[in-house]
Amino acid sequence: MKATVHVKLKAGVLDPQGKAIAHALNSLGYDEVSGARVGKEITLELAETDKAKAEARVTEMCEKLLANTVIERFDIDIQD
Amino acid sequence: MKATVHVKLKAGVLDPQGKAIAHALNSLGYDEVSGARVGKEITLELAETDKAKAEARVTEMCEKLLANTVIERFDIDIQD
């Protein structure tokens, strides 16, 4: 079973890396870009067969290690 | 219009950050995790109304700046 965790900065949290990307794209002539935000996508390989159990465990992993819940939010996708 | 770009390491490319995450999760007691890989998720705000044109432009941005196509692959999602 695979789990994909999407970790993004919460709305309102400054994203200097995203700002740099938007600025660089504008400099390259992509003037239609008005903003960019950068997040992480973590794919986990799980030796687990129960989808609900996997989701509960991955949520715990996010809260403990993968995301900083003060400034970040996360979504979890479980695939077979 | 928004575009979400998912940038991942190609299969076979070593991912030390993913290895470190898998190892840390195992140390925390999550023994079901047998591997982890880390990618980037870049959300772009676009002042563009034509979906096909947006996709072509974002593909160009990925090839020029957002992804290193030697070791990374990318997918693009365009949302209204």
Side-chain angles (χ1 to χ4, degrees):
Chain A
M1 193 167 258
K2 270 192 185 188
T4 306
V5 178
H6 306 267
V7 182
K8 290 175 190 172
L9 286 170
K10 285 182 180 171
V13 177
L14 275 184
D15 182 357
Q17 195 186 356
K19 276 233 162 96
I21 286 175
H23 184 77
L25 287 170
N26 292 157
S27 304
L28 287 171
Y30 298 106
D31 297 318
E32 69 266 44
V33 178
S34 58
R37 290 183 75 80
V38 183
K40 272 176 294 183
E41 196 175 287
I42 304 163
T43 310
L44 301 171
E45 295 279 348
L46 300 174
E48 173 63 72
T49 49
D50 182 337
K51 202 166 167 171
K53 210 171 153 191
E55 189 154 357
R57 292 278 282 180
V58 174
T59 304
E60 237 186 81
M61 294 178 207
C62 288
E63 283 161 356
K64 279 201 192 157
L65 183 80
L66 302 177
N68 174 354
T69 53
V70 177
I71 55 166
E72 293 171 328
R73 64 189 177 77
F74 60 85
D75 308 303
I76 298 166
D77 265 340
I78 308 276
Q79 300 108 39
D80 293 318
Chain B
M1 193 168 261
K2 270 194 186 188
T4 307
V5 178
H6 305 268
V7 182
K8 290 176 189 171
L9 287 171
K10 286 183 179 171
V13 178
L14 276 183
D15 182 357
Q17 195 185 356
K19 277 233 161 95
I21 287 176
H23 184 75
L25 287 170
N26 291 157
S27 304
L28 286 171
Y30 299 106
D31 297 317
E32 70 266 44
V33 179
S34 58
R37 290 184 74 81
V38 184
K40 272 177 291 183
E41 196 175 286
I42 304 162
T43 309
L44 300 171
E45 295 280 348
L46 300 174
E48 173 65 70
T49 48
D50 181 339
K51 204 167 167 172
K53 208 171 153 189
E55 190 155 355
R57 291 279 281 179
V58 174
T59 304
E60 236 185 80
M61 293 177 206
C62 288
E63 283 161 357
K64 278 202 192 157
L65 184 82
L66 302 177
N68 174 353
T69 53
V70 177
I71 55 166
E72 292 171 329
R73 62 190 177 77
F74 59 86
D75 309 302
I76 298 165
D77 264 341
I78 307 277
Q79 301 108 40
D80 292 319

